């Protein structure tokens, strides 16, 4: 690892562990926010492609994540997660800069966008398990530094708030695509990803106690899947993520909204960007409220209620409402999504077996990102056949049915939050107690 080691080995470049992690999160999600607005915008508003072609390109962005997440979860438990994040952040940043050059030189076509989507999807598939499973050891390591410790649930909520804030900034920048051209914004995306990648080199070592595991990767994958399926908490959480991936993120967010803006309201980049910003503003406000009010004793019940708001908001898109009213719907949708994302992630972090955390997180994320390509490919032809307004009823009914079934068939409504373990601010008593997770 000739590029990573000189940076990671330079102790003068150290940052507070949790601070470096937040920079890493911000770099990825700033780029993700730009991509969420500009990528479908280029296809829908610049190239004027059909709903079917939009859905195919969006599926190319998400399908690699679904295929790679299980194996990437095993890799994250066997290797130093800093190096995984560093190299795949840099790879995604270079892809974004290359796409910016193609746009600025007027050489872009539809298939190049699909290739870009596949490459960035590959990077995302490796980054997510490494990044999400890193927060737990970083919290433990932070407790042993002069910067002090932080409780896990609060750390997850703070990271989610940074995620939403960075996405909002990226989506807000997408508002200017019609003025600057999308090429400039893809260049900004590349810079954000490169910045996040460099932050990974400043983290303490994030290896795993299982680094020297000799088990077959398929056995590891099976163990992670079993841990989810046999848990009365992790299983319904993952099932809800599958439904959200199919009906909400894949069907409504990535396909329905861009086509609705173009065909029903005659809008473009500015309207798409402003609606996306409004959604994530709602998610950000929800996370600020969670930070302020603290511990949620019954997270399963709160999750179901939050997703009920999503069901009502998405279904309302079927009505011939004035465009300004969509901002209220999208903001309410964002509030529900913000609560659901933060609570489900923190519960999974708490309930997953510590020695299987990355694998459990990859299975949990696979629920979302495995459902997304299916929802995208399903919704594209449906929108093309019956129109965006009528198609909005499909995600409303689909997610609504899933929530009712899970509420009746699982104990999710009665699940209580696990008691957080207090972390003492004290060094290990001997060198033998320092795991590879905590090695600096």
């Amino acid at each position: 690892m000739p590029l990573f080691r000189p940076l990671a080995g330079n102790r003068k470049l150290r940052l507070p562990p949790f601070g470096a992690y937040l920079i890493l999160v911000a770099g990825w999600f700033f780029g993700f926010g730009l991509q969420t607005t500009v990528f479908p915008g280029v296809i829908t508003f610049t190239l004027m492609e059909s709903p079917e072609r939009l859905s195919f390109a969006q599926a190319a962005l998400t399908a690699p994540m679904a295929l790679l997440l299980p194996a990437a979860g095993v890799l994250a438990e066997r290797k130093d997660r800093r190096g995984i994040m560093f190299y795949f952040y840099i790879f995604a940043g270079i892809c974004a800069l290359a796409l910016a050059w193609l746009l600025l030189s007027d050489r872009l076509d539809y298939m190049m966008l699909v290739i870009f989507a596949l490459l960035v999807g590959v990077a995302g598939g490796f980054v997510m398990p490494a990044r999400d499973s890193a927060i737990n050891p970083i919290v433990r390591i932070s407790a042993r530094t002069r910067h002090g410790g932080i409780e896990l649930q609060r750390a997850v909520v703070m990271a989610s708030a940074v995620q939403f804030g960075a996405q909002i900034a990226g989506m807000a920048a997408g508002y200017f695509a019609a003025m600057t051209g999308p090429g400039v914004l893809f260049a900004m995306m590349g810079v954000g990803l490169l910045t996040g990648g460099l932050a990974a080199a400043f983290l303490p070592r994030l290896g795993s106690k299982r680094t020297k595991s000799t088990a077959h990767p398929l056995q590891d994958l099976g163990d992670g899947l079993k841990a989810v399926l046999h848990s009365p908490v992790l299983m319904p959480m993952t099932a809800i993520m599958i439904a959200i991936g199919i009906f909400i993120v894949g069907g409504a967010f990535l396909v329905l909204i861009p086509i609705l803006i173009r065909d029903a309201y005659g809008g473009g980049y500015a309207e798409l960007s402003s609606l996306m910003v409004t959604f994530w503003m709602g998610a950000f406000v929800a996370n600020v409220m969670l930070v302020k009010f603290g511990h949620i004793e019954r997270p399963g019940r709160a999750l179901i209620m939050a997703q009920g708001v999503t069901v009502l908001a998405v279904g309302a898109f079927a009505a011939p409402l004035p465009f300004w009213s969509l901002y209220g719907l999208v903001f309410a949708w964002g509030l529900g999504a913000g609560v659901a994302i933060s609570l489900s992630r923190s519960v999974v972090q708490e309930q997953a077996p510590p020695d299987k955390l990355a694998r459990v997180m990859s299975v949990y994320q696979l629920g979302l990102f495995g459902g997304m390509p299916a929802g995208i490919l399903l919704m594209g032809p449906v929108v093309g056949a019956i129109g965006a307004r009528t198609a909005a009823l499909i995600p409303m009914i689909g997610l609504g049915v899933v929530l009712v079934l899970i509420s009746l068939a699982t104990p999710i409504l009665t699940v209580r939050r696990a008691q957080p373990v207090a972390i003492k601010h004290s060094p290990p008593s001997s060198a033998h107690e320092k795991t590879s997770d905590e090695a600096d």
Side-chain angles (χ1 to χ4, degrees):
M1 302 170 74
L3 182 61
F4 173 71
R5 284 178 177 170
L7 291 172
N10 190 333
R11 294 182 176 272
K12 294 181 180 179
L13 297 177
R14 286 287 181 248
L15 293 173
F18 190 60
Y21 181 78
L22 292 181
I23 294 173
L24 183 144
V25 170
W28 182 271
F29 285 99
F30 174 76
F32 180 79
L34 272 169
Q35 175 188 283
T36 302
T37 301
V38 182
F39 181 77
V42 170
I43 298 168
T44 306
F45 309 131
T46 300
L47 301 181
M48 296 298 291
E49 296 287 354
S50 66
E52 292 84 356
R53 301 261 281 183
L54 172 63
S55 67
F56 181 79
Q58 294 280 46
L61 191 63
T62 56
M65 300 183 194
L67 295 173
L68 292 171
L69 274 172
V74 174
L75 182 68
E77 289 188 343
R78 296 189 175 200
K79 300 295 182 182
D80 185 356
R81 282 162 277 196
R82 298 178 304 168
I84 296 172
M85 292 185 284
F86 176 84
Y87 280 107
F88 282 105
Y89 266 66
I90 299 298
F91 174 74
I94 291 172
C95 290
L97 293 175
L99 184 61
W101 176 77
L102 290 171
L103 278 162
L104 293 172
S105 59
D106 200 23
R107 300 181 182 184
L108 183 74
D109 61 23
Y110 175 79
M111 285 310 300
M112 289 179 180
L113 279 171
V114 173
I115 293 171
F116 165 81
L118 288 170
L119 294 176
V120 172
V122 167
F126 282 100
V127 162
M128 279 187 294
R131 185 187 61 234
D132 288 351
S133 65
I135 191 170
N136 210 321
I138 285 174
V139 167
R140 294 200 304 269
I141 294 167
S142 295
R144 293 186 168 98
T145 69
R146 61 185 177 84
H147 304 286
I150 183 171
E151 188 263 329
L152 178 60
Q153 180 184 337
R154 189 174 182 84
V156 171
V157 172
M158 287 179 64
S160 296
V162 170
Q163 169 187 332
F164 297 146
Q167 285 183 213
I168 290 168
M171 292 174 182
Y175 184 87
F176 300 99
M179 307 174 207
T180 65
V184 173
L185 300 181
F186 275 112
M188 292 174 61
M189 174 183 172
V191 172
L193 291 169
L194 295 177
T195 301
L198 291 175
F202 300 153
L203 292 170
R205 180 172 174 78
L206 296 173
S208 171
K209 298 176 184 178
R210 305 184 67 261
T211 298
K212 298 182 180 180
S213 172
T214 58
H216 194 281
L218 291 178
Q219 180 182 336
D220 279 346
L221 294 178
D223 289 343
L225 183 59
K226 289 177 183 176
V228 172
L229 293 178
H230 294 165
S231 169
V233 177
L234 299 177
M235 187 277 291
M237 290 286 186
T238 304
I240 290 174
M241 285 300 109
I242 295 173
I244 291 172
I246 294 173
F247 296 112
I248 304 303
V249 181
F253 202 75
L254 296 179
V255 176
L256 180 70
I257 288 181
I259 300 300
L260 182 70
I261 290 172
R262 185 188 71 183
D263 294 351
Y265 295 99
Y269 284 103
E271 288 76 14
L272 177 60
S273 172
S274 59
L275 279 179
M276 296 292 185
V277 168
T278 303
F279 174 88
W280 289 109
M281 280 296 295
F284 181 77
V285 169
N287 271 262
V288 171
M289 293 170 63
L290 286 175
V291 170
K292 181 174 181 179
F293 294 112
H295 200 74
I296 304 296
E297 183 62 26
R298 294 184 181 269
R301 183 176 298 178
L303 174 66
I304 294 295
M305 292 174 63
Q307 291 304 331
V309 174
T310 296
V311 168
L312 296 175
V314 173
F317 281 102
L321 302 171
F323 184 77
W324 60 264
S325 66
L326 299 187
Y327 290 102
L329 287 177
V330 169
F331 184 78
W333 181 6
L335 285 172
V339 171
I341 291 171
S342 291
L343 286 183
S344 60
R345 284 178 61 191
S346 61
V347 169
V348 171
Q349 291 275 356
E350 290 174 351
Q351 298 289 335
D355 62 331
K356 300 176 183 178
L357 178 59
R359 284 170 288 168
V360 168
M361 289 300 299
S362 68
V363 172
Y364 167 75
Q365 291 162 333
L366 181 61
L368 177 64
F369 288 95
M372 283 167 60
I376 290 168
L377 293 175
L378 174 67
M379 187 60 74
V382 170
V383 171
I386 66 176
R389 289 198 191 281
T390 306
L393 296 174
I394 295 174
M396 179 192 75
I397 296 171
L399 180 59
V401 170
V402 170
L403 293 178
V404 170
L405 291 177
I406 288 178
S407 298
L408 295 175
T410 74
I412 191 170
L413 295 178
T414 59
V415 168
R416 292 182 180 272
R417 171 64 52 77
Q419 285 297 111
V421 178
I423 301 174
K424 295 183 179 180
H425 186 90
S426 60
S429 59
S430 71
H432 297 291
E433 294 177 16
K434 184 180 278 188
T435 69
S436 59
D437 264 345
E438 297 159 352
D440 187 351

